[in-house]
Amino acid sequence: MIYKEGNGSYGRCWIEGDGNTFWVYVMDGRSKYGPFSSLTDAEREYSKYCM
């Protein structure tokens, strides 16, 4: 499931997760960060790359 989507200087980015584990994708999905155990942690990472 996609939780948040946006664009930044690194291209399209989004947060994907299953409710327990979350991943941050940047550069149109070419880079992936995680796993994060909470959406809050994933959003913190996401905000480094996207708005």
Side-chain angles (χ1 to χ4, degrees), residues 14-47:
W14 65 92
I15 297 174
E16 195 171 300
D18 60 9
N20 296 310
T21 307
F22 303 89
W23 299 85
V24 177
Y25 292 84
V26 299
M27 291 175 61
D28 301 321
R30 290 192 297 276
S31 290
K32 175 177 159 181
Y33 300 94
F36 298 96
S37 57
S38 75
L39 184 56
T40 303
D41 289 343
E43 285 178 331
R44 195 172 295 125
E45 185 72 15
Y46 174 93
S47 68

